[in-house]
Amino acid sequence: MVPASPVARPLRHVARALFPCIWRGKYFSSGNEPAESNRVTPMFRHLMYKIKSTGPITVAEYMKEVLTNPDKGYYVHHDMLGEKGDFITSPEISQIFGELVGIWFISEWISSGKSSAFQLVELGPGRGTLTGDILRVFSQLGSVLKTCDISVHLVEKTPHGWREVLIDIDPQVSDKLRFVLAPGATPAEAFIQCGETRDHIEVCPEAGVIIQELSQRIALTGGAALIADYGHDGTKTDTFRGFCSHKLHDVLIAPGTADLTADVDFSYLRRMTQGKAASLGPIQQQTFLKNMGIDVRLKVLLDKADEPSVRQQLLHGYNMLMNPKKMGERFNFFALLPHQRLQVGGHQMGTCQSKPSASSPVAGFGELTWQ
């Protein structure tokens, strides 16, 4: 089951004269969990020693320790994908997802001139299901090929200016963590856009670095990047959350036993291209997949399916991917392309957010014509 995205609500933050003060964001810690669920895990003890030695840590550092610590990290000791894990991804739900993404790359390869040098790079954890489905499409279409965990910083606007949200030990309860505000400016504040109107935001410098490198590479050598994830276009505030057994989990409870994640801010990614590459989207997953011909592909597979169980599985996967109440509107697609790919009549379109030309549409971002 895919949980609903949190609905934005105002923070009930009371300014205090002394920092750090308690941070009162409502979506990261409910405060209503039973005491027995707040068990002391090996990761919790590690974090306690770390915080006692160096002081409160950033949310980004907390996520890295909890998820990727080589000794006690969640990803090291848990199989988080699938029905028996904590969450499931689109490629695991249906083969159609990876097949359509494969068609997208074939379409862009053709539009860019069918270069003999072709590199397929997947940035993201998983079992290789997505790449496997894409390569199967490449094989079927006769294409010739030569042979990231990201953390966020939480920043809130206060009467004293922007202050980063940190994680500290609760002085009232020795085996409990809490959110506090930094006493002064931190490097994360440098990534806040001038004129930002939200009162608290999530920034991800690592994602910005990746997008800058991708944009630079696309500008110099061509190619395309397709990003699919939970996300928004600079509208949300509280998206940092945990998942355990497909249910929301308090991010500060029993660290190391649940996955931690946050939505992608696609408006931030667009800014980080610095005009070197054109961007498309974000658009909702149901729109992208429909434009790519998911209904046509589903019909083909259903016609070939002999077993009722296979047909039921195909329909279930389609519903999970397309239903607005499931993944259809919660996941978004975003693409980076060379500017010349989107030029119309020799004139380059806007560099902030370009739109495909009518004569050469980008698959998925405009309706795909089947012949």
Side-chain angles (χ1 to χ4, degrees):
M1 180 180 294
V2 179
S5 300
V7 179
R9 298 179 186 173
L11 290 176
R12 296 177 181 175
H13 171 67
V14 179
R16 300 184 179 216
L18 297 177
F19 288 103
C21 66
I22 298 176
W23 187 82
R24 302 186 184 277
K26 297 185 66 174
Y27 300 106
F28 314 120
S29 178
S30 66
N32 298 320
E33 291 73 13
E36 57 268 22
S37 71
N38 191 16
R39 60 187 185 275
V40 177
T41 61
M43 175 55 65
F44 179 86
R45 287 193 291 269
H46 169 72
L47 291 169
M48 291 284 284
Y49 295 140
K50 185 179 185 70
I51 292 173
K52 286 181 178 178
S53 300
T54 64
I57 60 176
T58 66
V59 172
E61 187 173 2
Y62 178 78
M63 291 181 71
K64 280 189 175 181
E65 287 287 350
V66 170
L67 298 177
T68 63
N69 181 283
D71 183 38
K72 304 176 180 64
Y74 169 81
Y75 289 156
V76 176
H77 299 287
H78 294 79
D79 184 7
M80 61 282 186
L81 292 174
E83 294 183 2
K84 295 182 179 180
D86 294 321
F87 63 91
I88 192 167
T89 62
S90 295
E92 303 287 338
I93 291 173
S94 174
Q95 70 180 70
I96 302 177
F97 182 90
E99 290 173 350
L100 297 182
V101 171
I103 291 174
W104 189 89
F105 280 108
I106 290 293
S107 173
E108 284 308 303
W109 175 66
I110 293 173
S111 297
S112 64
K114 300 182 180 180
S115 170
S116 59
F118 191 108
Q119 292 181 325
L120 174 67
V121 181
E122 180 184 7
L123 298 177
R127 296 170 174 161
T129 304
L130 176 60
T131 298
D133 290 338
I134 293 174
L135 292 177
R136 186 175 66 254
V137 170
F138 287 177
S139 176
Q140 292 172 348
L141 294 180
S143 299
V144 179
L145 299 179
K146 294 185 176 179
T147 50
C148 338
D149 300 310
I150 296 178
S151 304
V152 300
H153 295 259
L154 306 184
V155 188
E156 179 183 347
K157 184 182 293 184
T158 76
H160 303 273
W162 288 101
R163 292 292 183 268
E164 184 166 6
V165 177
L166 306 178
I167 295 174
D168 196 8
I169 301 169
D170 191 330
Q172 306 299 324
V173 185
S174 60
D175 61 349
K176 185 178 180 181
L177 299 172
R178 66 169 184 170
F179 289 105
V180 298
L181 289 177
T186 62
E189 298 170 30
F191 295 88
I192 300 175
Q193 185 180 18
C194 181
E196 176 62 60
T197 58
R198 289 172 288 176
D199 58 3
H200 54 293
I201 61 174
E202 299 162 340
V203 296
C204 185
E206 290 174 327
V209 171
I210 291 174
I211 292 298
Q212 288 177 353
E213 292 181 354
L214 285 173
S215 300
Q216 179 72 14
R217 184 180 181 91
I218 289 172
L220 292 176
T221 63
L226 185 65
I227 300 170
D229 210 334
Y230 280 108
H232 59 92
D233 205 13
T235 57
K236 292 185 179 180
T237 55
D238 303 320
T239 72
F240 178 41
R241 58 201 184 277
F243 287 118
C244 184
S245 299
H246 299 271
K247 296 180 181 178
L248 285 173
H249 178 87
D250 190 306
V251 296
L252 297 185
I253 297 288
T257 65
D259 185 48
L260 303 177
T261 188
D263 285 4
V264 175
D265 184 344
F266 290 106
S267 67
Y268 170 71
L269 301 189
R270 189 182 303 116
R271 294 197 305 273
M272 289 299 101
T273 65
Q274 297 179 333
K276 295 176 181 177
S279 65
L280 288 172
I283 63 170
Q284 294 175 346
Q285 176 169 289
Q286 62 177 355
T287 302
F288 179 88
L289 296 180
K290 195 168 190 66
N291 288 341
M292 289 299 303
I294 188 172
D295 294 328
V296 175
R297 182 54 178 161
L298 176 66
K299 184 179 184 304
V300 171
L301 293 176
L302 288 175
D303 290 342
K304 292 182 177 180
D306 297 326
E307 297 293 330
S309 60
V310 175
R311 294 176 61 87
Q312 183 178 2
Q313 183 178 12
L314 287 169
L315 292 171
H316 173 72
Y318 177 90
N319 183 52
M320 285 289 292
L321 293 176
M322 299 294 286
N323 192 322
K325 295 183 179 179
K326 295 181 180 179
M327 304 174 81
E329 292 184 354
R330 295 173 191 161
F331 274 75
N332 290 271
F333 278 75
F334 181 84
L336 299 178
L337 301 162
H339 282 297
Q340 58 267 29
R341 171 71 177 87
L342 304 181
Q343 289 176 347
V344 180
H347 298 286
Q348 182 172 301
M349 301 183 71
T351 58
C352 291
Q353 185 174 10
S354 304
K355 297 181 179 179
S357 65
S359 59
S360 181
V362 176
F365 295 86
E367 189 170 351
L368 185 64
T369 300
W370 291 83
Q371 298 178 353

